[in-house]
């Protein structure tokens, strides 16, 4: 049980080797420890996001709440672990994350290392405890036949309502202690362990300055099944988890104290998220209600989305799914190797995560773009290994994620997000963003679309200045 729970009980493309390496690079794959990412370039001017942080939050240990439908195992010591199997019952709990080495650093030392681009990746990050607080009853319980009609088991429904009520109390208490009454929810991609999304949102939340409440949604992907079988297993696990994500989003939104939910989905997690939002949108439209108001959904970010472009447009536009969020932002890179493999594997006409501005016709451009929808083309030189986790591993891209999530800034220099705009409507992000380097040189140029040759020349530029 989580501390403070009281007496309430827990409620029930090249070679195959390259292909395997690329597909298995999408998460931390079973890591029991990781580190902070490179410090965002936005802090290279001396900005300190922790200046206004409350004293109670200036600690190396913090909690990341989670929801998961992975199968759990109870260990002899009373702890809980989650494997890669699927569970029809969703659990909610909290992971305790520790930042820094075993020997205690004082807060100032931790902040200094976090904001130093040369030191941040040496700061260890590890989960020290996982505490499951709530387990919902199965989403597929036996049905009863009464007078020829299938009816729900009343005892199961009461247990479900009790679990939901306790979950609301738990989240409400955490929201009440936060400086902002907002949740930042991360939905991971394929071949991730349970720990992976916890680490990822912990990295982002810390680098944002520890504002709001961080939550990880851990669906049952499998980091150890190999390339193709693992990928197909995870695609079907993504379909399996949609109901639970849908219910979890509704649960979060029903917390009265909560003002807004922001979702950051990565890779295959973008399909899971959009499918859940589509189902909610259809249900609420049938009830004559606004999905955005029901869900309290602010920013929806799709990072390196592993989605077929045509399928995505067909499944979201007719039902106006993206209207469920105040703002939709998609991060793409044509050098994303994992998305390139997926495009080859499925024979996609176009994969959303590698979308280029010159691939969009004027007709499609009108379909895609709106005042609340942006595509950010990440053209930074160093996108990390296999160029798929760049939204966190590249310090310029992470800076834009922070400006969007934490500060809710609209794209454009006049709004404090000085991205480069090309004629197609794409926003371009280069090394050094937002304070210097190549990005500032590009920002000073006339804002026009770049040819493929110009893009190739930029990527060969050996300069990597972040001043």
């Amino acid at each position: 049980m989580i501390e403070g729970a009281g007496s309430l009980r827990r409620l029930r493309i090249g070679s195959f080797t390259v292909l395997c390496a690329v597909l298995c690079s999408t998460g931390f794959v079973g890591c029991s420890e990781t580190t902070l990412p490179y410090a965002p370039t936005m802090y290279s001017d001396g900005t300190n996001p922790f200046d206004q942080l409350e004293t109670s939050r200036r600690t190396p240990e913090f909690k990341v709440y989670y929801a998961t439908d992975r199968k759990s195992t109870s260990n002899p010591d009373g702890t809980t672990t989650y494997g890669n199997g699927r569970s029809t019952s969703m659990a909610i709990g909290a992971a305790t994350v520790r930042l820094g080495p075993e020997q205690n650093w004082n807060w100032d030392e931790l902040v200094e290392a976090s904001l130093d681009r040369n030191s941040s990746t040496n700061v260890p990050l590890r989960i020290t405890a996982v505490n499951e607080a709530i387990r919902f009853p199965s989403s597929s319980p036996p049905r009863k036949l009464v007078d020829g009609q299938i009816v729900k088991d009343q005892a199961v429904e009461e247990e479900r309502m009790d679990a939901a009520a306790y979950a609301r109390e738990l989240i409400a208490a955490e929201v009440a202690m936060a400086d902002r009454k907002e949740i930042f929810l991360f939905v991971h991609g394929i071949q991730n362990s349970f720990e992976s999304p916890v680490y990822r949102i912990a990295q982002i939340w810390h680098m944002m300055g520890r504002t709001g409440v961080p939550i990880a949604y851990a669906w049952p992907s499998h980091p150890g099944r190999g390339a193709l079988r693992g990928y197909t297993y995870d695609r079907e696990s993504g379909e399996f988890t949609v109901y639970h994500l849908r219910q979890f989003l509704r649960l979060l939104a029903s917390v009265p104290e909560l003002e807004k939910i922001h979702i950051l989905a990565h890779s295959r997690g973008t399909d899971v998220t959009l499918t859940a939002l589509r189902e909610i949108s259809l249900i609420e439209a049938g009830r004559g209600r606004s999905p955005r108001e029901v869900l309290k959904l602010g920013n929806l970010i799709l990072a390196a989305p592993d989605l077929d472009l045509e399928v995505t447009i067909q499944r979201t536009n007719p039902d106006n799914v993206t209207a469920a969020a105040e703002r939709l932002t998609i991060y793409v890179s044509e050098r994303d190797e994992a998305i390139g493999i997926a495009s080859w594997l499925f024979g996609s006409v176009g994969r959303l995560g590698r979308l280029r501005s010159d691939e969009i016709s004027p007709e499609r451009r009108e379909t895609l773009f709106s005042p609340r929808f942006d595509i950010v083309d990440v053209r930074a030189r160093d996108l990390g290994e296999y160029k798929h986790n760049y939204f966190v591993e590249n310090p310029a891209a992470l800076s834009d994620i922070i400006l969007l999530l934490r500060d809710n800034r609209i794209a454009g220099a006049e709004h404090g997000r000085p991205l480069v705009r090309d004629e197609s409507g794409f926003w371009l992000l280069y090394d050094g963003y937002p304070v210097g380097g190549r990005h500032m040189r590009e920002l000073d140029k006339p804002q026009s679309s770049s040819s493929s040759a110009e893009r190739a020349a930029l990527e060969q530029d050996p300069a990597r200045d972040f001043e």
Side-chain angles (χ1 to χ4, degrees), residues 382-399:
D382 185 2
L383 300 183
E385 191 175 16
Y386 304 115
K387 306 172 179 63
H388 190 53
N389 298 313
Y390 56 83
F391 69 107
V392 170
E393 293 182 358
N394 180 269
L398 179 55
S399 293

Side-chain angles (χ1 to χ4, degrees), residues 269-438:
T270 60
D271 180 64
V272 173
T273 300
L274 282 182
T275 303
L277 292 178
R278 181 174 185 268
E279 292 183 3
I280 293 173
S281 295
L282 292 173
I283 292 170
E284 295 307 326
R287 295 172 176 172
R289 300 195 299 187
S290 163
R292 191 190 311 170
E293 293 178 2
V294 169
L295 290 176
K296 304 177 183 178
L297 189 53
N299 282 294
L300 172 60
I301 299 177
L302 308 181
D306 182 9
L307 295 167
D308 182 283
L309 176 61
E310 293 177 330
V311 172
T312 303
I313 292 174
Q314 180 63 21
R315 296 195 72 216
T316 58
N317 279 27
D319 298 315
N320 203 22
V321 175
T322 56
E326 291 179 1
R327 178 166 297 278
L328 169 64
T329 306
I330 300 177
Y331 287 85
V332 303
S333 171
E334 63 179 297
R335 294 190 293 129
D336 187 327
E337 294 178 10
I339 298 298
I341 292 293
S343 182
W344 167 79
L345 189 62
F346 292 101
S348 300
V349 174
R351 212 72 182 166
L352 189 55
R354 283 175 61 121
L355 190 64
R356 301 194 310 266
S357 58
D358 56 14
E359 292 180 324
I360 302 180
S361 66
E363 295 78 19
R364 179 155 288 174
R365 193 171 300 140
E366 291 182 3
T367 303
L368 281 175
F369 293 104
S370 74
R372 296 183 297 101
F373 173 40
D374 295 313
I375 296 179
V376 179
D377 186 351
V378 179
R379 298 186 178 180
R381 184 173 178 270
D382 185 2
L383 300 183
E385 191 175 16
Y386 304 115
K387 306 172 179 63
H388 190 53
N389 298 313
Y390 56 83
F391 69 107
V392 170
E393 293 182 358
N394 180 269
L398 179 55
S399 293
D400 197 55
I401 292 283
I402 292 172
L403 289 172
L404 179 57
L405 278 180
R406 184 191 67 192
D407 301 338
N408 199 31
R409 294 185 183 273
I410 300 171
E414 67 275 24
H415 304 297
R417 273 180 73 203
L419 296 161
V420 179
R421 190 73 179 264
D422 76 3
E423 292 176 349
S424 72
F426 275 45
W427 295 97
L428 313 180
L429 185 154
Y430 299 93
D431 285 322
Y433 173 89
V435 295
R438 182 189 305 171

Side-chain angles (χ1 to χ4, degrees), residues 119-138:
S119 302
S120 59
T121 56
N122 295 323
V123 180
L125 191 68
R126 64 188 179 279
I127 295 172
T128 60
V130 175
N131 297 291
E132 183 177 298
I134 305 161
R135 179 160 291 278
F136 284 75
S138 171

Side-chain angles (χ1 to χ4, degrees), residues 23-27 29 188-192 219 221-223 227 230-231 234-235 266-269 306:
L23 289 180
C24 289
S25 72
T26 55
V29 188
H188 64 83
I190 69 164
Q191 305 217 344
N192 278 233
W219 52 278
S221 66
H222 199 313
Y231 190 60
D234 283 6
R235 281 180 65 87
H266 178 231
S267 190
R268 198 67 208 161
D306 182 9

